Amino acid sequence: MKIESVVINASLLIVLFKSGMGDLLPQLFREIYIPEAVWQEIIAGGAQDTAAQNLSSATWAQRVTVSVTNPIITAWNLGAGESEVLSYALENPGYRAMVDDAAARACAKTLNIPTLGTGGAIVLAKNRNLIDSVTQALEALQNSGLWLSENIIRLLKQQADE
């Protein structure tokens, strides 16, 4: 199944922007929604922050308001951004929740919300010939603050045939 519509959490946007790979998102997905709590978290970095600058100028980023966080998700005590991302994806089944946080991914799995992490997006970009190397992209993401275990790195490289 082709992923066309996503709702994204702050951590993914921050590391993609800081690594210079934020431009992959509109090449990968037709609709990119960013809940208000995520938007506010990123722009709180200030005018000098790379992620805040990039988000402000990203014409592809569609800001959405999540009026009510689903009570089932609230019970997981996630951050405001993760809660809004998962609530939006739960209420809009055509959207894939882009989250890296382990607790948010566990919540999504429990509620059958499809997810995609930063590493998965990089593999997808390689499979669509948007990048040459998953290895180089993962290094850039790690240099920008994304923590990945050696097992995850190995799995992502395997998925990309590297």
Side-chain angles (χ1 to χ4, degrees):
M1 179 172 107
K2 185 174 180 181
I3 304 167
E4 292 193 6
S5 303
V6 295
V7 55
I8 305 181
N9 191 37
S11 60
L12 283 97
L13 287 167
I14 291 167
V15 296
L16 286 170
F17 284 141
K18 288 187 176 183
S19 65
M21 291 187 281
D23 62 331
L24 287 175
L25 292 169
Q27 296 175 69
L28 289 169
F29 312 112
R30 184 174 45 83
E31 293 181 307
I32 303 162
Y33 282 16
I34 302 167
E36 186 64 31
V38 171
W39 195 284
Q40 292 302 321
E41 182 178 338
I42 293 172
I43 63 166
Q48 301 305 312
D49 180 73
T50 302
Q53 290 171 356
N54 280 276
L55 181 59
S56 296
S57 64
T59 57
W60 46 262
Q62 298 180 58
R63 194 173 181 173
V64 295
T65 300
V66 177
S67 53
V68 177
T69 301
N70 188 298
I72 295 169
I73 294 169
T74 302
W76 282 77
N77 291 319
L78 304 171
E82 288 97 348
S83 295
E84 287 192 8
V85 165
L86 294 178
S87 289
Y88 191 88
L90 186 62
E91 298 301 319
N92 299 277
Y95 285 80
R96 179 79 51 116
M98 292 189 72
V99 291
D100 282 338
D101 178 78
R105 289 176 76 86
C107 175
K109 185 176 181 178
T110 299
L111 299 175
N112 295 314
I113 299 169
T115 61
L116 181 69
T118 307
I122 295 303
V123 171
L124 187 59
K126 169 80 185 294
N127 291 342
R128 293 187 185 172
N129 297 314
L130 298 174
I131 60 172
D132 295 325
S133 168
V134 164
T135 301
Q136 290 175 344
L138 292 175
E139 287 175 11
L141 289 168
Q142 287 179 299
N143 291 337
S144 298
L146 181 66
W147 183 87
L148 295 167
S149 71
E150 287 302 316
N151 287 340
I152 294 294
I153 292 170
R154 203 170 17 260
L155 175 65
L156 294 169
K157 288 180 181 180
Q158 181 182 24
Q159 290 175 345
D161 294 324
E162 287 187 18

